[in-house]
Amino acid sequence: MPSRWSGRDTQTLSAMAMSALLLASAGKHFEDPGFFGPVVPDFLCRDDSAGQANSPAAVLSRDEWVAVSGLLEAAAAVGLLLPVTRRAAAGCVTAMFTLFLAGHIDALRKAYGPDGTPRQRRVHSLRLPLQAPLIAWAWSLTKPALRKPVRW
């Protein structure tokens, strides 16, 4: 039996799946912030202990960066669900995932440094390459959906 599944239906399903992933991740930011802490690059983290000088980019603490990124992921998840904001939200998610690469590279560098553990090496060796399909997925949602139905 032929099915009338349009590109718009496919894009909507894809956006809903990415939205669910982002909402789950946003929730984890607040349930287990320690999971995301190592991915925030040190140069972005403010140190209030006066033990070291802060970089000009260090405007938030590590915990504040984790919370802000969780809120951004939740907002992006909502934006992906609304057709009128989907393309803009997908562009923002693409940029966000691309910016997260810096944190994943920094975490991987630390994991393979003198203080890194085998578990950290394993975790960060897996997390970094996962960014590529996430970036590609988010980018795919920035394109207009095909209106022509796909026949099966």
Side-chain angles (χ1 to χ4, degrees):
M1 173 177 220
S3 173
R4 301 197 70 173
W5 189 260
S6 72
R8 178 172 283 176
D9 296 334
T10 303
Q11 188 180 55
T12 297
L13 184 62
S14 181
M16 289 171 63
M18 178 163 277
S19 179
L21 176 80
L22 287 168
L23 283 174
S25 177
K28 188 164 177 69
H29 276 75
F30 298 100
E31 291 170 14
D32 184 13
F35 180 77
F36 296 96
V39 183
V40 181
D42 291 337
F43 74 90
L44 288 178
C45 299
R46 186 184 69 236
D47 181 11
D48 294 332
S49 69
Q52 65 183 17
N54 290 318
S55 79
V59 294
L60 300 174
S61 70
R62 188 172 308 276
D63 291 338
E64 291 167 340
W65 277 116
V66 170
V68 165
S69 64
L71 291 172
L72 288 173
E73 286 185 5
V78 172
L80 288 173
L81 292 176
L82 305 172
V84 70
T85 59
R86 181 170 298 145
R87 288 179 68 193
C92 291
V93 172
T94 302
M96 182 176 67
F97 284 155
T98 303
L99 289 172
F100 286 174
L101 281 172
H104 286 286
I105 291 168
D106 189 53
L108 188 62
R109 181 189 56 79
K110 285 189 236 170
Y112 280 92
D115 297 329
T117 66
R119 182 180 184 283
Q120 289 171 332
R121 290 183 191 102
R122 203 170 36 255
V123 166
H124 295 297
S125 292
L126 292 172
R127 283 175 86 173
L128 176 62
L130 286 175
Q131 288 303 112
L134 290 173
I135 292 167
W137 184 11
W139 180 252
S140 74
L141 294 173
T142 64
K143 302 191 177 16
L146 299 173
R147 293 181 182 265
K148 190 165 89 173
V150 177
R151 297 203 181 254
W152 296 64

